[in-house]
Amino acid sequence: MEVEANSEQRKMSQRAKGGLITMPFIIANEAFERVASYGLLPNMILYLIQDYHLGVAKGTNILFLWSAATNFLPVVGAFLSDSYLGRFLTIGLGSITSLLGMILLWLTAMIPKTKPPHCDLLTQSCKAPTAAQFILLYSSFALMSIGAGGVRPCSLAFGADQLDKRDNPKNERVLESFFSWYYASAALSVVIALTGIVYIQVHLGWRVGFGVPAILMFFAALLFFLASPFYIKQKASRSLLTGFVQVLVVAYKNRKLAFPPRNTDGWYHYSKDSKLVVPTDRLRFLNKACIIRSPERDINSDGLASNPWSLCTVDQVEELKALIKVIPMWSTGIMMSINTSNSSFPVLQANSMDRHVFSSFQIPAGSYAMFLVIVLFLWVALYDRVILPLASKVRGKRVRLGVKQRMGIGLFLSCLGMVVAAIVENVRRRKAIRQGLLNNPQTLVGMSAMWLVPQYCLYGLAEAFNAIGQTEFYYSEFPKSMSSIAAALFGLGMAVANLLASVILSAVNHLTSRGGKESWVSNNINKGHYDNYYWLLAIMSAINLLYYLVCSYFYGPCVEQGTKVSDEGKSMEGENELSKLSNGARDEVESLKDDEKLSKFKDEVEGLKDEEELSKLRQSPS
């Protein structure tokens, strides 16, 4: 009785915690972290070139590796959170680690001995950074990446933990409101980072420009911990990643076992929510992970596997198969991420061009990326609220682009963006040479930097189509239990893209500088051929688009339409009658895309009272 009372008391305590009171603290933590971290990246190439005397290629490679770590570590953070630490502790440690990294970076601007001395203007000689100076710089980058790996994968889910109360009839509406505020704050944070923080760095110097993000990160950590008594803190549980490894290990252990007949009890399918009893035939070798060798030895009295490293469920096997199936489609998005990760070159281009909008105001070189973000969110709003409703009204029926179509359009627009970037850079370089600036890259070219805006607009549209389409694709193709993996895949693709971008840049720099020639990515932007580098990426993007078409063809149809019909079917009172329909009638349900027809059909199903009327519907051709 005492145990039951303690359990009930814990439940009451959990119910008293969480709620809307925690939202400002969680959203502020994520928003401040994004403003601080995103605000450091755009101008960082200028800091590395001017204060650390690094070349364009080396400085850009360092930023590629930093971005790769920042995009990959959230996957590790999600694993540690799910398996060991829990979301609260992971976010807290991540916030503190990010703060330490930003303080270290700020110290490199504050203390002269932490970086090489200024170049000698008379001899034009510049000292390279020492090993200790490099270690301090790299440590700051590493700490910020580790911190992002703790905050970013857990913040949204931790906020949902505070609001997800199933006994509340308005639960779904509350969660939807939270998600809207969360993504709105994330978008606003990126815009503030690309404008406000970059502007401070340009006009007030690196000391203030690095100090402000450190102060913001301090407030992010402080606000998060201040609300600690009010949080619902879920304990860590088994991670999906661990389950995937278990399937591979057990499948290898059981590789010599024969497959049992499909209609026997030789498959382990214990799960409270799953309807899967036997595994599918695709990737059959993984099915050996769920073969029961000895029921008495392999399964406990409660139905659970006695050793999860010796026996896996059918669900675990099918989850891994679903992940393997989408990998080719996932790989097609890497090239687009390579294109958008080349943020250093547009900053150098903008820095050499006239950035005045009015006679008294000019846009900082690192702020032009805000056009990408603005176009992305403007398009999302117009697409959902204006374009699709208008197109549906004109055609007289519902119009919608499938996820695979949107992903393909995004890849095409990304390729087009690289073509535009190459043309604009070619024009800029020729103007610089005509104006006698070949050996003077610091002097501004008589050309407006607003010529860079079209390529950013195309990148924004490409992200709106492909990135959002990718995320929706993963969520629709994966079972519900894999939602965390769906969220992590896009970031993992960005990490791989950053690494590949570094390899491509190093190869281009090495091959084009042979024999004493000027590298395409020379430190002198007017002597180099950044336009050729863009053309190379454009050609690779075109090849990737063809690769996508092949992967899309062999992948087959998505389950998105089937999922929608299934969700509609769950709301019918006559769900049991619907499950008895013949395959022909099921196909007919899936073909009813018009809402009016679907509504009429639902009424028919709900009105089926006996088997005789159900038989008539099976024989009916429409």
Side-chain angles (χ1 to χ4, degrees):
M1 291 293 291
E2 186 179 348
V3 175
E4 290 180 3
N6 291 336
S7 176
E8 189 64 29
Q9 190 175 1
R10 280 197 300 270
K11 287 181 180 178
M12 292 291 292
S13 175
Q14 286 286 81
R15 289 195 193 101
K17 293 186 176 184
L20 293 174
I21 192 174
T22 61
M23 290 305 99
F25 300 95
I26 296 172
I27 291 176
N29 172 264
E30 172 76 1
F32 282 150
E33 190 275 335
R34 283 181 180 270
V35 171
S37 57
Y38 279 88
L40 292 173
L41 186 59
N43 276 337
M44 190 57 67
I45 185 64
L46 300 178
Y47 183 61
L48 296 180
I49 291 173
Q50 295 168 5
D51 288 54
Y52 279 82
H53 314 148
L54 300 180
V56 172
K58 186 169 184 179
T60 304
N61 273 331
I62 290 173
L63 297 185
F64 278 148
L65 295 175
W66 180 25
S67 296
T70 303
N71 286 308
F72 174 72
L73 286 174
V75 179
V76 179
F79 170 75
L80 292 175
S81 169
D82 290 346
S83 303
Y84 303 105
L85 302 178
R87 295 188 180 110
F88 172 77
L89 191 57
T90 305
I91 295 173
L93 292 175
S95 300
I96 294 172
T97 308
S98 279
L99 176 60
L100 292 175
M102 290 179 190
I103 291 173
L104 277 185
L105 183 64
W106 175 67
L107 289 176
T108 65
M110 291 295 294
I111 303 173
K113 289 187 178 180
T114 58
K115 56 189 176 185
H118 294 296
C119 297
D120 191 325
L121 296 177
L122 295 176
T123 61
Q124 292 295 313
S125 61
C126 300
K127 288 187 177 180
T130 63
Q133 290 167 343
F134 265 133
I135 289 173
L136 185 63
L137 179 68
Y138 292 160
S139 296
S140 69
F141 289 162
L143 287 171
M144 284 187 281
S145 294
I146 293 170
V151 174
R152 294 182 188 178
C154 301
S155 186
L156 181 63
F158 187 65
D161 288 343
Q162 314 307 311
L163 300 175
D164 193 9
K165 298 182 179 180
R166 305 301 168 92
D167 54 347
N168 182 1
K170 297 182 179 179
N171 184 56
E172 189 174 344
R173 186 183 300 175
V174 172
L175 282 174
E176 184 179 349
S177 177
F178 166 64
F179 291 148
S180 298
W181 278 105
Y182 180 88
Y183 284 115
S185 68
L188 183 62
S189 302
V190 174
V191 173
I192 292 173
L194 295 176
T195 54
I197 302 298
V198 170
Y199 187 88
I200 290 171
Q201 291 169 355
V202 171
H203 290 87
L204 299 179
W206 301 117
R207 293 185 176 190
V208 179
F210 290 162
V212 170
I215 293 171
L216 290 175
M217 197 62 231
F218 170 76
F219 281 114
L222 179 64
L223 288 171
F224 181 75
F225 284 112
L226 277 178
S228 177
F230 304 108
Y231 293 139
I232 294 173
K233 300 169 185 175
Q234 304 283 5
K235 292 183 179 180
S237 58
R238 185 185 64 85
S239 170
L240 269 174
L241 294 176
T242 304
F244 293 154
V245 177
Q246 287 172 344
V247 171
L248 294 172
V249 170
V250 178
Y252 178 77
K253 281 183 179 179
N254 296 350
R255 65 191 182 279
K256 294 182 180 179
L257 292 181
F259 289 109
R262 294 188 65 80
N263 56 350
T264 65
D265 294 331
W267 307 99
Y268 180 52
H269 55 85
Y270 174 84
S271 179
K272 294 179 181 178
D273 303 317
S274 175
K275 297 177 182 177
L276 292 173
V277 177
V278 294
T280 59
D281 285 332
R282 64 184 182 189
L283 300 172
R284 250 178 120 232
F285 67 95
L286 293 176
N287 293 352
K288 295 196 174 185
C290 55
I291 295 177
I292 301 173
R293 291 174 294 180
S294 171
E296 295 78 13
R297 189 178 67 238
D298 293 343
I299 303 175
N300 293 329
S301 57
D302 57 2
L304 294 172
S306 57
N307 182 5
W309 292 96
S310 295
L311 181 64
C312 299
T313 64
V314 173
D315 290 87
Q316 285 178 279
V317 172
E318 292 304 313
E319 285 166 353
L320 180 57
K321 288 180 181 181
L323 178 63
I324 294 172
K325 186 183 177 185
V326 303
I327 285 177
M329 292 288 287
W330 166 80
S331 67
T332 63
I334 292 174
M335 190 64 225
M336 191 191 79
S337 298
I338 290 174
N339 294 342
T340 54
S341 66
N342 281 283
S343 57
S344 299
F345 295 133
V347 172
L348 296 175
Q349 289 174 268
N351 204 45
S352 71
M353 301 166 78
D354 180 12
R355 292 175 278 113
H356 282 89
V357 179
F358 308 108
S359 57
S360 59
F361 177 76
Q362 63 177 358
I363 301 175
S367 293
Y368 279 83
M370 70 179 178
F371 289 105
L372 185 155
V373 181
I374 292 170
V375 168
L376 192 157
F377 286 100
L378 280 177
W379 173 259
V380 169
L382 289 172
Y383 179 76
D384 274 341
R385 301 295 179 182
V386 179
I387 296 174
L388 286 184
L390 186 62
S392 300
K393 191 174 182 180
V394 170
R395 293 197 62 185
K397 63 178 182 179
R398 189 182 177 196
V399 174
R400 180 181 178 273
L401 288 174
V403 286
K404 292 207 293 184
Q405 290 173 307
R406 280 181 277 151
M407 289 166 67
I409 291 171
L411 294 179
F412 171 75
L413 290 173
S414 176
C415 177
L416 190 60
M418 293 312 304
V419 171
V420 172
I423 293 171
V424 170
E425 171 56 18
N426 182 266
V427 173
R428 188 211 64 81
R429 183 176 180 275
R430 282 192 287 127
K431 278 200 172 188
I433 294 172
R434 280 202 303 269
Q435 293 170 15
L437 303 177
L438 183 64
N439 296 309
N440 192 9
Q442 285 76 31
T443 303
L444 295 183
V445 179
M447 180 179 177
S448 173
M450 294 302 289
W451 282 100
L452 298 173
V453 173
Q455 69 197 55
Y456 277 116
C457 291
L458 286 168
Y459 296 154
L461 288 173
E463 289 272 352
F465 276 101
N466 187 272
I468 295 174
Q470 268 195 71
T471 306
E472 187 178 332
F473 173 73
Y474 303 141
Y475 271 100
S476 64
E477 296 299 297
F478 288 164
K480 220 171 192 180
S481 58
M482 294 180 66
S483 56
S484 60
I485 300 295
L489 271 180
F490 185 76
L492 185 61
M494 284 290 295
V496 175
N498 293 139
L499 293 175
L500 291 178
S502 177
V503 172
I504 293 168
L505 180 65
S506 298
V508 167
N509 184 49
H510 174 71
L511 294 174
T512 58
S513 61
R514 282 181 174 178
K517 295 179 182 178
E518 195 73 34
S519 170
W520 283 2
V521 289
S522 169
N523 297 338
N524 184 331
I525 190 173
N526 296 333
K527 282 188 175 181
H529 274 285
Y530 289 13
D531 53 339
N532 288 352
Y533 179 70
Y534 288 147
W535 280 119
L536 174 64
L537 293 181
I539 293 169
M540 293 174 67
S541 299
I543 296 171
N544 181 67
L545 182 58
L546 296 175
Y547 168 62
Y548 170 79
L549 294 175
V550 173
C551 290
S552 178
Y553 173 79
F554 282 104
Y555 187 89
C558 296
V559 299
E560 54 180 345
Q561 184 60 36
T563 302
K564 293 175 91 177
V565 172
S566 175
D567 292 340
E568 292 283 351
K570 287 178 183 176
S571 67
M572 296 181 185
E573 286 183 6
E575 185 177 0
N576 293 332
E577 285 83 359
L578 184 62
S579 66
K580 298 176 185 177
L581 292 178
S582 64
N583 290 332
R586 285 178 181 272
D587 294 339
E588 184 176 345
V589 175
E590 293 177 358
S591 69
L592 292 172
K593 296 182 179 178
D594 185 86
D595 291 340
E596 186 179 350
K597 289 182 180 179
L598 184 57
S599 178
K600 289 180 181 178
F601 185 79
K602 286 161 67 177
D603 291 339
E604 285 184 296
V605 174
E606 289 171 358
L608 294 175
K609 300 295 183 181
D610 54 47
E611 189 65 29
E612 183 180 351
E613 289 178 326
L614 185 61
S615 177
K616 290 178 182 179
L617 178 62
R618 286 174 178 158
Q619 296 170 4
S620 175
S622 62

